[in-house]
Structure formats: structure tokens, C-alpha cells
Amino acid sequence: MTTAMTSAALFDLTGRTALVTGASSGLGWRFAKVLAANGANVGIAARRTDRLAALKAEIEADGGRACAVALDVTDLSSIAPAFDAVEAAFGPVDILVSNAGVAVEAMLADMTAEQWRKVLDTDLDGVFFTGQEAIRRMSRSGGGSIINIASAIAFHVSKTLGAYAVAKAGVVQLTKAMALETASAGIRVNAICPGYIETEINRDFFATEAGRTMIQRHVPMKRLGDIGDLDGTLLLLASKAGSFITGASIVVDGGLVL
Ligand SMILES: NC(=O)c1ccc[n+]([C@@H]2O[C@H](COP(=O)([O-])OP(=O)(O)OC[C@H]3O[C@@H](n4cnc5c(N)ncnc54)[C@H](OP(=O)(O)O)[C@@H]3O)[C@@H](O)[C@H]2O)c1
């Protein structure tokens, strides 16, 4: 039996290189800060590079290291260069957080082809092609951890969010398929499925009467998730603490899917 480790050693990411997609706001911004605070050198990627510059400054002010890279996950030609840039700064990526995502609200009968494609291209194809690039590189460099950000809606449906629910359910299956095919190469692939988490884009809605009522009716814990509620799951999946976990989709939703 191995020696018992302290929690600090178990979750430590010193010397690791992470790449977080969709780091320019919301959950991705937080994920990048949490990984950096626990020792990882972090590549931060998104389309809004002005916001990435602000995040890089915040991480560095806290004593961490970050490298900002432009990435549009729907533009396949931008994926390999983003990995190249992070590798050039910090060495091979061994943690990928595939977080970039969009939601478009429309009833299925009214949804345009453009709306459907935008959601599927970003939320499912984007996770596939970014993960595929990571798998190819991690297979050569000795392994790593891929963390796909799905959603609790992968396990239920909601009117006007049909395309989003289909894409996120696809991410859960993709996570299992990737995990199965890469375990022997030392790569672990898991998903986090958040429920309602307060971020800058939904804060105003959840402060309204309708938003508050939704939480009271649908979330058994009767509260909105705080952005920090995902920190522990992220660190578990990224670090040695999760070394035997692969193919899992961890729901973090205050009981929403129940
Ligand atoms: N907040 C929640 O309650 C919640 C619940 C369940 C799941 N999620 C999932 O969590 C992830 C983050 O959501 P969030 O709430 O933090 O939303 P957000 O604040 O809107 O962040 C979305 C991020 O994705 C990036 N992005 C969008 N399209 C992209 C593209 N084509 N290429 C690269 N980056 C792209 C955006 O950056 P740019 O616009 O700068 O490219 C932004 O940084 C998403 O996958 C979302 O589905 C969120």
C-alpha cells in the first residue's frame, strides 16, 4: 500500500501545463484561475483576446503563469496553433479543459439551420476536435487529463434548449468514447456537468422574480451554484487525486437532475 498523501500533495498541479478553452469569461475564467492557483502553467484560449489579456494579468498578479492564445473552436485551423503556442511557452499540454460553449434559445420548430449548426459546431464538434488534438499530442508526450464541460441538461431536456441538450448529451457520450480509446495511452477523459451556476451572463436573469422562482422550484438545494462550486471537481479530475477516474460525467447541480 502506498503512503497516505496530504490533500495539498494530492491536488498539486505544479509543473503541469493546462489549456482552458472559453477562458475569456464565466466558468472558463474561473477554471484558469483555479488551475493556476494550484501550480499549473495555464494556456488561456478564446476569441476575445482583449479579455484574455486581462485574465493573464490577473493570474500573474496572483503569482501564477499564463499564456493567452486566440482560438475559435469552430475553426479547425486555429486548434493546432493554439496548442503549439501553449507548448512553446510551457511545454506539452497535459490538462485540457474543453469549456468553450454557447447556448441558443429557440423552440425546435422555429430553430434555423444556422442556430442548430452554431450550437452543435461549438458545443459538440468543438469539444471533439479540440480533444482529438489533445489526444494526439498527449499520446506522444506521456498522457494527461481531458475535462469536458458538459451540462446537467445532458440528462434531461428543457423547452427552447433542444439543440444545447443534444450537444451536451453528445459530450457525455464523446467523453466515454474518448476515455475508452485513450486509457491505455495514460489519458483520462472525464466530464463535468454543471447545473445552474451564476456567471456574468445569467446573473441578471437569476436576480429576477422568474429566475428566483425557477431555482426554488427546480433545484432541490434551493440555491444557484456559486462559480466556486466547481473548483473541487475540476481539481479532482485534473490532479493525482483523480488518477483512477476515467469516462465519468460528474453532475454538480444541487440536485437539479433529480
Ligand atoms: N453557467 C452555467 O450555468 C452553465 C451550466 C452548465 C454548463 N455550462 C457550460 O459551461 C461552459 C462555460 O459557460 P459560461 O456559463 O461560463 O458561459 P460564458 O460566460 O458565455 O462563456 C463561454 C465561453 O466560451 C467561449 N466561446 C464561445 N464560442 C467559442 C468558440 N467558437 N471558440 C472559442 N471559444 C468560444 C467564449 O469566449 P469568446 O466569446 O471570447 O470566444 C466564452 O469564454 C459552456 O460550455 C456552458 O455550456 C454553463
Side-chain angles (χ1 to χ4, degrees):
M1 191 186 282
T2 50
T3 318
M5 290 175 84
T6 63
S7 56
L10 212 47
F11 291 95
D12 182 38
L13 301 177
T14 302
R16 306 278 303 273
T17 300
L19 172 57
V20 181
T21 72
S24 59
S25 63
L27 304 187
W29 181 290
R30 173 72 177 201
F31 293 149
K33 290 196 72 167
V34 171
L35 294 171
N38 285 277
N41 299 318
V42 187
I44 47 179
R47 295 166 302 178
R48 288 172 295 170
T49 48
D50 54 328
R51 297 190 55 131
L52 295 178
L55 173 59
K56 176 174 154 66
E58 248 188 60
I59 289 174
E60 289 174 350
D62 291 343
R65 293 176 75 205
C67 157
V69 292
L71 171 65
D72 179 344
V73 297
T74 67
D75 172 5
L76 303 195
S77 69
S78 75
I79 296 176
F83 277 84
D84 287 343
V86 178
E87 265 184 40
F90 300 135
V93 171
D94 61 2
I95 300 168
L96 168 67
V97 184
S98 241
N99 164 79
V102 290
V104 171
E105 292 188 40
M107 294 291 274
L108 292 173
D110 304 323
M111 188 171 295
T112 64
E114 289 72 25
Q115 288 174 317
W116 175 265
R117 279 267 47 94
K118 180 178 177 182
V119 176
L120 272 290
D121 280 349
T122 311
D123 296 3
L124 182 56
D125 293 19
V127 173
F128 169 60
F129 287 110
T130 312
Q132 184 187 53
E133 187 64 34
I135 287 167
R136 289 174 176 162
R137 289 170 187 249
M138 288 175 182
S139 298
R140 292 195 296 268
S141 62
S145 170
I146 297 175
I147 301 165
N148 295 326
I149 306 305
S151 167
I153 207 170
F155 303 104
H156 63 108
V157 283
S158 176
K159 282 181 184 170
T160 77
L161 286 174
Y164 184 70
V166 167
K168 294 299 190 180
V171 170
V172 166
Q173 282 292 70
L174 177 64
T175 298
K176 291 188 222 172
M178 282 180 163
L180 181 64
E181 292 188 9
T182 61
S184 61
I187 301 170
R188 296 184 297 105
V189 189
N190 294 288
I192 300 177
C193 302
Y196 300 126
I197 310 291
E198 184 175 2
T199 64
E200 62 194 82
I201 55 161
N202 61 28
R203 185 166 297 134
D204 290 347
F205 169 69
F206 284 121
T208 64
E209 193 55 38
R212 279 197 297 271
T213 304
M214 198 163 125
I215 297 298
Q216 291 304 310
R217 279 212 188 122
H218 298 299
V219 185
M221 288 182 72
K222 302 220 177 292
R223 72 169 175 87
L224 197 53
D226 177 82
I227 203 157
D229 283 329
L230 302 174
D231 294 358
T233 312
L234 176 78
L235 288 174
L236 170 69
L237 296 178
S239 69
K240 275 197 287 290
S243 57
F244 203 47
I245 304 175
T246 198
S249 286
I250 302 183
V251 177
V252 185
D253 71 343
L256 176 71
V257 297
L258 302 177

